[in-house]
Amino acid sequence: MLEVRNVRTGYGETEILRGVNLTVAEGEIVAVLGSNGVGKSTLNMALSGILPLWSGEIEFTGKRIDRLSPAEIVEAGLVQVPEGRKIFPNLTVEENLELGNYRGDRSRRKAMVADVYATFGRLKERRRQYAGTLSGGEQQMLAIGRGMMSGPRLLILDEPSLGLSPLLVEEMFGLIGRLAGEGLTILLVEQNVIQSLEIASRAYILENGEVVVEGAARDLREDSRLRQAYLGL
């Protein structure tokens, strides 16, 4: 579904991604792991068309997307839930969800909101509440729900566990696993290595803008040398 080939990009004259290659097949959860500053968010911005490539190619569902606008990439079905949630705090939960579908088919909007509420029952309970008054976990649910309103074929989740309590982190990863079980393809970009490897089918480890290790999540989870060398575990 997604193929990233030899992607290089950065900011100004500073190169951040140094020839990144990765693939995501339909129905997978693929994890991209690494500490702060290794290029994970830069990769997300390149995939979403926010940051232009210096070289390389990005192909999604068989078509080049690296020259498309961010809006066109979303319309193609590649949707990102950004780090830090980026919800609209002074709008209600339901208004935030509706904004996720502002370029979509209005006739299906109510049904799509109902689908989000079926997945995130807590959001339905708070649908008239201002988003800024939600807890951190509820705000993350809202951010994911808003992403789902765009009708994604592949959903990029950028640090969904960031800032959550251990109990809410457990709940969040359970929800991600459930979404994948319902057929959604997910690229999970995380620092939370242990739980990411528990739910992912495959994983890539980034270091200094390069993929240094890739493989089945099960194999990476069980290889103590890799975990110590690249993930500090």
Side-chain angles (χ1 to χ4, degrees):
M1 179 172 280
L2 178 69
E3 186 168 0
V4 178
R5 294 189 289 266
N6 198 32
V7 163
R8 296 178 178 271
T9 190
Y11 309 95
E13 297 182 357
T14 304
E15 186 178 48
I16 304 297
L17 299 182
R18 301 179 171 93
V20 169
N21 294 277
L22 63 83
T23 61
V24 181
E26 188 169 1
E28 283 191 305
I29 300 179
V30 173
V32 177
L33 307 172
S35 57
N36 269 335
V38 299
K40 301 192 305 299
S41 291
T42 299
L43 174 63
N44 289 345
M45 288 195 287
L47 293 174
S48 297
I50 298 168
L51 187 65
L53 305 189
W54 293 1
S55 64
E57 298 178 352
I58 300 172
E59 194 172 279
F60 180 62
T61 63
K63 299 177 183 177
R64 286 276 300 272
I65 62 168
D66 48 84
R67 295 169 186 166
L68 300 182
S69 69
E72 289 171 325
I73 290 172
V74 169
E75 288 176 350
L78 181 60
V79 176
Q80 179 181 172
V81 177
E83 178 183 351
R85 300 152 197 162
K86 305 294 193 297
I87 60 167
F88 297 96
N90 296 323
L91 298 180
T92 67
V93 165
E94 195 150 304
E95 288 168 340
N96 269 269
L97 292 176
E98 289 173 347
L99 279 173
N101 184 248
Y102 82 102
R103 294 177 66 93
D105 182 353
R106 291 190 177 188
S107 66
R108 296 190 60 244
R109 192 168 293 171
K110 286 187 177 180
M112 295 178 77
V113 169
D115 287 343
V116 171
Y117 287 155
T119 301
F120 302 104
R122 213 174 306 170
L123 294 183
K124 184 175 183 179
E125 296 170 7
R126 291 157 172 73
R127 61 187 182 276
R128 304 300 179 201
Q129 192 171 323
Y130 287 115
T133 67
L134 301 178
S135 70
E138 290 164 348
Q139 289 183 12
Q140 186 62 65
M141 292 177 194
L142 178 57
I144 295 174
R146 186 180 58 190
M148 291 169 61
M149 289 290 295
S150 298
R153 298 185 64 182
L154 189 156
L155 190 64
I156 302 172
L157 298 178
D158 191 355
E159 304 280 9
S161 71
L162 187 68
L164 301 184
S165 69
L167 186 61
L168 286 174
V169 167
E170 195 78 32
E171 182 179 358
M172 185 57 57
F173 276 94
L175 285 168
I176 293 168
R178 197 162 79 226
L179 290 173
E182 293 170 357
L184 184 60
T185 304
I186 295 173
L187 182 64
L188 177 61
V189 181
E190 262 286 354
Q191 291 186 66
N192 191 321
V193 173
I194 294 174
Q195 286 173 292
S196 296
L197 292 177
E198 287 290 338
I199 66 170
S201 51
R202 294 187 300 110
Y204 295 84
I205 299 175
L206 277 184
E207 188 175 78
N208 296 322
E210 299 178 280
V211 174
V212 291
V213 176
E214 61 180 280
R218 177 184 61 255
D219 296 338
L220 299 183
R221 190 169 63 239
E222 295 172 356
D223 193 322
S224 59
R225 294 170 301 172
L226 291 178
R227 290 169 59 188
Q228 185 172 14
Y230 297 112
L231 301 170
L233 298 175

